Amino acid sequence: MTEAISAQLEVLRARGLEPGLYLVATPIGNLSDITLRALSVLLQADQICAEDTRHSARLLQHYRIGTRVRPYHDHSSPEQREIILGLIKDGQAVALISDAGTPLISDPGYKLVRDVLEAGYPVISLPGPTAVMPALTSSGLPSDAFCFLGFLPNKSAARIKRAAQVSTLDATLVFYEAPSRVKASLHDLAHVLGPRDAAVVRELTKQYEEVVRGSLAKLAQTFDARDVRGECVIVVGPPGEEAEVSDDQILARLQHALRDHTVRDATRLVMDEMNLPKNRVYRLALSLERS
């Protein structure tokens, strides 16, 4: 097996790399999850751009990759992107990696990819690890149609608004969430989306990986009693065929909308967000105003 892997790496290295930007997916926890093609590109690239060079050093040292590494992250200046463009223009192959998973998926890289493409240079994306797919497939929830929504907003009002906007999607919803916000996010999702089946997938591919399944309300209760550690993915099942947006869900959204809008404007806002008839939303808005 080891000989076969070495032989395949030699085949890949013999092909060489054309100048361009290579988006390389890296393990989200277990270093063994890297692909042979990713190793080949990282070994052959003229330079590696890394979200955090100190974090990436562990992976590169593990596989004895001595390629030069430079930082590239969300706060990198346009001048830094110009330097990278210059490297590609000079015929170099540049690899982009994030701290974990696939670059650009809730990670830096979009601005750089856009600039490279606009300059007429190739962008080559290597498939590989990302937390979205294993979280979805291990959740036990429908996977034929899903919507990845990245990280939820930090504040409760914004989270509730976001949940309301996607509440009518006929698809499984997938969110990333930091451990410090999992409890609050579960409560807000339960408040807006109701008793949907859901799962919290924590520490994927690592020693303490776990999947906790249940209704959103049950999960909120479960995690209230826990000290949450490690990055999490929240997966929420689609609404049932018979499911209907409840008055409580509408009232929750209206309460926040009425803080900054008149009854008329709040009604229109919630009506559009939740795809509901005006009369129903307006009636509930008036009841809130009276109370």
Side-chain angles (χ1 to χ4, degrees):
M1 181 65 73
T2 302
E3 292 179 0
I5 292 173
S6 298
Q8 183 60 34
L9 277 173
E10 285 304 315
V11 170
L12 292 170
R13 295 182 68 173
R15 295 175 183 171
L17 295 179
E18 297 293 328
L21 178 67
Y22 291 78
L23 308 180
V24 182
T26 55
I28 59 176
N30 191 321
L31 295 182
S32 300
D33 288 337
I34 197 164
T35 69
L36 291 179
R37 188 179 173 205
L39 288 175
S40 172
V41 169
L42 295 178
L43 284 164
Q44 293 183 79
D46 296 291
Q47 293 202 34
I48 296 172
C49 294
E51 182 180 1
D52 186 331
T53 56
R54 295 167 299 179
H55 182 93
S56 299
R58 176 170 171 260
L59 172 71
L60 301 178
Q61 290 170 3
H62 181 81
Y63 286 105
R64 300 178 184 178
I65 296 171
T67 306
R68 181 181 175 185
V69 183
R70 66 183 306 122
Y72 182 82
H73 44 74
D74 273 339
H75 305 294
S76 293
S77 65
E79 289 74 21
Q80 286 296 318
R81 293 196 291 277
E82 284 297 326
I83 291 173
I84 298 170
L85 283 171
L87 296 174
I88 297 173
K89 182 179 180 180
D90 290 340
Q92 293 194 23
V94 178
L96 175 69
I97 61 176
S98 58
D99 285 349
T102 301
L104 279 74
I105 306 301
S106 291
D107 277 326
Y110 167 72
K111 293 178 182 178
L112 178 60
V113 167
R114 181 195 58 197
D115 288 355
V116 171
L117 290 173
E118 288 181 352
Y121 301 119
V123 173
I124 303 94
S125 185
L126 279 63
T130 176
V132 178
M133 300 313 297
L136 174 66
T137 53
S138 64
S139 69
L141 297 167
S143 56
D144 55 333
F146 67 94
C147 182
F148 171 61
L149 296 158
F151 282 92
L152 283 161
N154 294 341
K155 296 185 178 180
S156 179
R159 274 197 302 269
I160 288 174
K161 179 179 179 180
R162 187 71 177 120
Q165 289 171 337
V166 299
S167 62
T168 57
L169 286 177
D170 188 18
T172 294
L173 309 177
V174 184
F175 304 94
Y176 284 167
E177 193 52 283
S180 59
R181 295 197 300 267
V182 166
K183 299 177 184 180
S185 290
L186 286 171
H187 278 284
D188 287 340
L189 289 172
H191 191 51
V192 176
L193 301 179
R196 295 197 195 180
D197 290 334
V200 175
V201 187
R202 191 181 67 85
E203 290 283 76
L204 272 166
T205 80
K206 300 176 184 177
Q207 182 179 358
Y208 298 106
E209 175 181 331
E210 69 169 345
V211 183
V212 185
R213 303 176 181 88
S215 69
L216 280 169
K218 179 63 175 177
L219 288 173
Q221 183 182 25
T222 298
F223 278 86
D224 270 346
R226 295 182 52 173
D227 179 20
V228 185
R229 297 183 181 181
E231 295 300 318
C232 299
V233 184
I234 300 175
V235 187
V236 183
E241 292 183 3
E242 74 289 352
E244 182 182 342
V245 179
S246 68
D247 283 356
D248 286 343
Q249 291 172 265
I250 302 171
L251 287 167
R253 179 66 193 105
L254 280 169
Q255 283 177 330
H256 290 276
L258 285 168
R259 292 176 182 175
D260 304 309
H261 299 85
T262 64
V263 169
R264 179 181 177 182
D265 290 342
T267 297
R268 184 175 298 278
L269 179 68
V270 175
M271 176 185 73
D272 291 340
E273 284 181 358
M274 306 183 78
N275 192 27
L276 294 168
K278 179 180 178 180
N279 289 343
R280 182 183 178 195
V281 179
Y282 186 63
R283 173 177 55 80
L284 291 171
L286 286 177
S287 70
L288 273 178
E289 187 184 40
R290 294 192 201 101
S291 62

